[in-house]
Amino acid sequence: MTTPVCPFVKAARPDDTCPAKKAIAAGSETAPTRKDSGEAATVSPKCPFGYDSSNFKLGPLSCMICHALLFDSTKCVPCSHLFCQVCISRFKDCPLCGADIEKLEADTNLQSMVDRFIEGHARIQRPHVDANGEGEQVVNEDKKVIYEDVSLDRGAFLVQQAMRAFRAQNFKSAKSRLTMCAEDIRGQLEKSDNSSELCSQLGAVLGMLGDCCRAMGDSTDAINYFEESVEFLTKLSTDDLEITHTLSVSFNKIGDLKYYDGDLQAARSYYLRSLGVRRDVIKNHPGVASQILDVAVSLAKVADVDSTLGKEDEAVNGFQEAIKLLESLSLKPEEASLEPRRLSVLAFLKTQLEEKQSGTTASLVST
């Protein structure tokens, strides 16, 4: 199981081009402050609890097992230590104090606090406007709070929490955080001109949601998320190697799920789409070792399905092409970390080819 990569790590903050921030960067001694007129401050907000996208923070709202914010907060009895329900259910003794766990109790009050904290994190509250949309605050305490994102720190924060939970196999928690992140990005897409960056982020997050569903055994939802991820990623330029890699991986993951469900023709179709993307990449970026390795993997997947479908000649050709690619691949010193993967894939391909060739020889002898 691979650990997802945060799609926000390279994202620029949306207010980086703000004139006030440029003034600060140029050496202005004082930062702008909020004026009485209601003008928004340009100072970047910081979480008072220290939870942000760049710091590893553990605190009263964190689960000490998965290190993410609590999800389905559960109290151990009698020691009263708190964890995520999924995390603590694997233990018979409290992992913090060692006390025997007599029973587990849901702590809905604490979970409500965590949920409110996440809902408002890296956001600022906006006043409700009147019917004419003139910006005057409407006094009505029953109205739902309106939030507006102030930076991409929120998306990075949610993905960070999801990745921690995912690594600890708390997939429900990871899925919940990623779902919130996807909803945020969809909302920004509706009102932003920076569609390419947002489509890239949404495609990556949807792929991570697919990984969560696949890990939970929900192949139907996993396929839906991967297909939606593909829909957004295909709108983007193929010049970005990260985007094309994510796109090809999504095709392969759908193919894998179709393969496991026994739909071999559909699996082959998705494997071929992945192979097509990867072939185009090495045409435009020749000599990139990681991309050549990806092509070899895709060739192996297509050949494996061909073999299962009884297309032995196509399978042998695919294995041979992949072997030739990897044997002719020379790695630069800075690419040395790819050598174990190259050798592993090459060994698999040679084993498969030997089995096909020995099977063919045996059938000829028997006839």
Side-chain angles (χ1 to χ4, degrees), residues 34-262:
R34 187 182 299 275
K35 299 180 181 179
D36 292 338
S37 63
E39 198 173 3
T42 57
V43 178
S44 176
K46 293 295 182 184
C47 173
F49 292 101
Y51 290 97
D52 58 48
S53 60
S54 58
N55 292 331
F56 185 85
K57 171 72 178 181
L58 293 177
L61 304 182
S62 301
C63 170
M64 294 300 161
I65 298 175
C66 69
H67 295 169
L69 289 169
L70 289 162
F71 182 79
D72 288 343
S73 301
T74 301
K75 179 171 65 177
C76 297
V77 177
C79 69
S80 296
H81 285 127
L82 292 150
F83 307 92
C84 299
Q85 190 276 331
V86 169
C87 296
I88 192 58
S89 63
R90 305 165 189 159
F91 292 83
K92 294 183 179 180
D93 302 326
C94 175
L96 284 182
C97 68
D100 291 341
I101 299 175
E102 296 179 5
K103 64 176 180 177
L104 299 173
E105 294 180 349
D107 192 328
T108 55
N109 290 332
L110 178 59
Q111 189 58 51
S112 177
M113 181 187 301
V114 174
D115 293 343
R116 290 196 303 272
F117 169 76
I118 294 174
E119 177 63 24
H121 182 80
R123 289 177 168 180
I124 55 176
Q125 183 177 345
R126 296 299 188 190
H128 291 272
V129 297
D130 59 16
N132 297 322
E134 295 181 353
E136 297 179 2
Q137 187 165 356
V138 178
V139 180
N140 186 343
E141 294 182 356
D142 295 332
K143 283 185 175 291
K144 184 179 179 180
V145 175
I146 295 177
Y147 290 105
E148 180 172 322
D149 290 333
V150 293
S151 77
L152 289 178
D153 277 348
R154 175 169 171 78
F157 162 77
L158 289 170
V159 171
Q160 177 203 63
Q161 296 298 317
M163 290 170 68
R164 290 184 187 178
F166 189 91
R167 284 193 292 266
Q169 299 185 27
N170 189 345
F171 303 121
K172 288 178 63 179
S173 174
K175 183 180 178 182
S176 172
R177 309 314 182 208
L178 291 170
T179 299
M180 293 183 69
C181 186
E183 291 173 353
D184 286 347
I185 301 173
R186 291 184 199 278
Q188 293 174 51
L189 269 172
E190 293 176 358
K191 57 184 179 181
S192 173
D193 295 330
N194 187 18
S195 59
S196 61
E197 183 69 25
L198 292 172
C199 283
S200 173
Q201 293 169 2
L202 184 54
V205 170
L206 289 169
M208 295 167 73
L209 277 165
D211 288 331
C212 288
C213 292
R214 184 172 64 166
M216 295 167 70
D218 187 349
S219 61
T220 300
D221 277 355
I223 289 173
N224 289 337
Y225 279 122
F226 287 135
E227 288 181 337
E228 192 175 3
S229 171
V230 165
E231 178 185 343
F232 282 98
L233 293 175
T234 50
K235 298 177 181 178
L236 305 173
S237 170
T238 56
D239 292 333
D240 190 317
L241 293 181
E242 285 191 19
I243 291 174
T244 53
H245 176 74
T246 304
L247 176 60
S248 65
V249 168
S250 292
F251 280 135
N252 274 342
K253 288 178 177 178
I254 299 172
D256 290 342
L257 291 167
K258 295 291 186 180
Y259 186 96
Y260 299 143
D261 286 343

